[in-house]
Amino acid sequence: MTVELVSGLDEAEAAARLAAVGPNELPRMRERSFFRIIGETLREPMFLLLVGAAIVYLALGDLGEGLFLTAGALASVGLVVMQEARSEHALSALRDLSQPLARVLRSGEERQIAARDLVPDDLLLIGEGERLPADARLIAGEVLAVDESALTGESAPVIKPPAIDSEPPDNPAPGVDGAPDLFAGTLVVRGQGVARITRTGPRSALGQIGASLAAIEHQPTPLQKTAGHLVGWLGALAIGFCVLVAAAYGWLRDDWVGGVLAGITVAISLIPEEFPMVLAVFLALGAWRLATHHVLTRRSAVIETLGGTTVLCVDKTGTLTENQMRVARLWTEAGDILVEEGRPIDGPAGALLERAALASAVRPIDPMDRAVRHLSAHAVADGEVTGVEPERAWPLRPDLLAVVQVWRGAGEQRIAAAKGAPEAIFELCRLPAAEIARLHAVVEDFARQGLRVLGVASARVDGDFADDPRSEVFAFAGLIGFVDPLRRDVPAALAEARAAGVAVIMITGDHPATALATARAAGLDVSAGVLLGSEIENLPFATLCERLRSVRVFARVAPAQKLRLVEALKADGEVVAMTGDGVNDAPALEAAHIGVAMGKKGTDVAREAADLVLLDDSFASIVGGVRLGRRIFTNLRRALTYVTAIHVPIAGLALAPILLGLPPLLFPMHVVLMELAIDPICALVFEAEPSDALAMKRPPRRPDEPLFGPAQVGQALLQGLVVLAAVLGVYVWALHGHTEAQARGAAFGTLVLANLILALADAAASGKLLAPHRRAFWTIALTITALLAAIVSLPPLAAVFKVATPDPLLLVVVLTTALVSGSWTTIALRLRSERY
């Protein structure tokens, strides 16, 4: 082995090459630029109507009204652009978080770096389930099986042995069996090894094709598409109403100019253009908030589902436990040794540990391999193996649950070491039934202590080793017990999930006794016992569904059996979140309502199939994601309810005076001012509301419960009709005994204040009104209130808005009516809660 293979590039050389050849990335999908967002906003029906109203006023010579509407249109565009840019910034931050990582050797040390920082001649460490980040040449390790269908279209894996010669060909082609050349975008199906990078970025085979690897796909969710269609439909309806109202007003009152303005006012009031913006902002910022809780969202549609999760299916290793394996016990025929850190291990136990190290990866990924390699440094070695890399290796596979590696010994001798499931090792050693039964008792004892148990064996052969390890006779060396400590935050997270009505199912490939010991320590319900993977596979489907209602611990589960588990849970009406990290977990992740991949130990295949990626692989992060999902769902529902509710009085007050033969109450400038308050309130105030104290004390919502269904529509219509009746009542009452301008000023003031109170009532279901997270609301409220005071008190502004200052009695009526009509729902809920 060369010095370069041991050490790799140093950081200075890598930095110089990165500067010379550029980053290892393909052209990104074009992001929405600031000007593109502006262009999209200018095509919205609301903006076109405001421009039309401004043109009418300017044509009539009403300079003040025309300039205000122009300024209002620009401010409305500015608010939308600001929120869209905020969402785009959040998505950009998520794209940066989702950048793939790579393991390399640099300056003799293994490091994890961003794949974009890879350079030619970097030594890349690759393993099963990883997607290759650049073109490379396999120079050491096992024979790989690689799926190159992304480049060739052929689904059959291609065999890739380590290179014999050091120089790669000028133009290697994908799809060639027996060649050591690897290509960006292809997937390692089996094996692990070391590869030297040859080409990066646009110079790779994938880059030359011009493909783009977008790590996060942010397509519009079904709800966003529905909202977009709704706004488009209402926009067309509003234009039709505009023409109808203008014609009726002009015909009945012989005032065609007033009719045009009345028609535009009704049209503007009918369009809930906030719907698409609210959804986009909530989903983008919701994904960003999840990322701050170590949960990366790959598909934003899942945010709508996350809070409704009823079952969490989680892996034991690395999710409930720390995935920091440590060798705790060594068993040989000479005795059972309790391992202590730093204590030399010799004799039969030392030989056992040495054989286990020979069966472990030289540059280990697996936590148990790492634990063995770490402890073997304290073992007394006999130096019988030459070289630093095995000659041959057989990775773990379904028909042999053990890893076998062959090393060169003295002369022509070969030394094979095997490590794996005790049953597989017993089979390799061809032990008699009585001996296997005796050893099973030891395995059971270790498992009851919560230890994960592996068997170890070895074989010596003069000359070449057989092509199938099972053809050789191995000598049993002993058993190793590993301990993987429970994460400290797991018991509290489990208790929170249980209180929230979310069932937690633990899945492991471990021994049933090990699984039960871990589940018991974590606080899971183990009263129904444990269900084995073979039972999941063989039980009748109806029986399996019945067992899943009580069993919470599953052991000896193979990845392929997770799919049947998910299907059974879904058939029983559950909303399932499934975790996975391996290549074979992908079907289960795809089938689950919410697929959750591990960010640290997970394979690229699992991450690509998943909806969410746990950046810290922690169970507490999953529960935190459910909590945040409930918060996002609740706040989004409140925002949509508010938007719908406040459009009812705006539209009603634009239309009712016309039908009742009263002077017009609202003109376009009044509606514009209302919209300037509504937009930031629904995008800033509702989104920032924290979870209420009981969010994780309630059971999950029903799977068929819509985000904005009949109950929410009914609540919004009721709230809106109450405000409409209150404001219209003030207007009609004020017209008797006050001027038209005073009546309009009083009614408009009632509408603005009722809007602010309604927003606070809908958003602040609980908590202190002056809490820090409500600064945005109070800033908006004070600004709008100050502007309203200026409008009714300053003659130039009063003339533009066609209002006058109400007298003291009218002001008292305005304040009282606004307070009652805006907050009556909150008062009713408080009285109801006190009764019960």
Side-chain angles (χ1 to χ4, degrees), residues 673 745 748-749 752-753 756 781-795 797-798 801 803-806 811:
L673 186 63
F748 183 58
V752 171
L753 296 177
L756 295 175
L782 290 174
T783 302
I784 294 297
T785 303
L787 185 56
L788 178 64
I791 288 170
V792 298
S793 59
L794 298 178
L797 288 177
F801 281 81
V803 298
T805 305
L811 283 175

Side-chain angles (χ1 to χ4, degrees), residues 318-569:
T319 307
L320 296 180
T321 62
E322 294 180 357
N323 201 28
Q324 299 290 331
M325 289 288 186
R326 180 177 62 82
V327 177
R329 306 282 288 274
L330 295 171
W331 186 94
T332 67
E333 293 292 351
D336 183 5
I337 293 178
L338 184 65
V339 176
E340 298 177 8
E341 186 68 27
R343 173 186 172 185
I345 301 171
D346 54 12
L352 167 64
L353 196 56
E354 184 184 1
R355 292 296 180 265
L358 292 178
S360 302
V362 177
R363 284 164 290 275
I365 305 170
D366 183 82
M368 287 187 289
D369 280 7
R370 290 179 183 270
V372 168
R373 283 282 177 182
H374 170 74
L375 190 61
S376 65
H378 302 294
V380 179
D382 57 16
E384 60 183 343
V385 170
T386 62
V388 293
E389 292 279 344
E391 280 191 340
R392 297 183 67 181
W394 288 265
L396 200 72
R397 57 182 192 265
D399 60 329
L400 181 61
L401 296 177
V403 175
V404 181
Q405 297 193 145
V406 177
W407 299 76
R408 180 178 287 275
E412 294 300 315
Q413 192 178 65
R414 301 293 188 274
I415 298 173
K419 171 173 61 65
E423 296 85 353
I425 298 300
F426 300 159
E427 181 184 345
L428 278 177
C429 297
R430 304 177 189 177
L431 297 178
E435 181 67 10
I436 291 175
R438 186 174 68 89
L439 292 172
H440 267 307
V442 179
V443 172
E444 289 282 348
D445 180 54
F446 275 25
R448 280 192 295 271
Q449 298 173 48
L451 301 182
R452 187 168 184 179
V453 187
L454 294 183
V456 180
S458 65
R460 292 176 184 270
V461 176
D462 291 325
D464 293 333
F465 199 80
D467 290 333
D468 188 344
R470 289 169 293 189
S471 300
E472 304 288 354
V473 179
F474 282 75
F476 183 67
L479 300 169
I480 300 180
F482 298 84
V483 62
D484 186 8
L486 198 70
R487 288 179 182 265
R488 285 180 293 181
D489 53 7
V490 162
L494 275 170
E496 184 177 12
R498 192 162 43 246
V502 180
V504 179
I505 286 176
M506 188 188 84
I507 302 171
T508 180
D510 284 350
H511 191 282
T514 305
L516 284 171
T518 303
R520 196 175 291 110
L524 275 173
D525 180 10
V526 297
S527 59
V530 61
L531 199 65
L532 299 180
S534 57
E535 295 176 280
I536 294 174
E537 192 168 344
N538 297 323
L539 280 175
F541 194 74
T543 306
L544 178 61
C545 291
E546 178 66 29
R547 293 290 303 276
L548 290 180
R549 292 171 191 161
S550 57
V551 178
R552 293 292 175 261
V553 183
F554 297 81
R556 292 293 192 226
V557 177
Q561 292 160 347
K562 287 185 177 181
L563 178 59
R564 196 160 194 257
L565 189 63
V566 170
E567 289 172 343
L569 288 167

Side-chain angles (χ1 to χ4, degrees), residues 10 41 63 153 263 309 389 452 560 566 600 743 811 820 825 834:
D10 59 40
T41 306
L63 186 62
T309 302
E389 292 279 344
R452 187 168 184 179
V566 170
K600 288 185 175 180
L811 283 175
V820 173
T825 52
E834 288 178 5

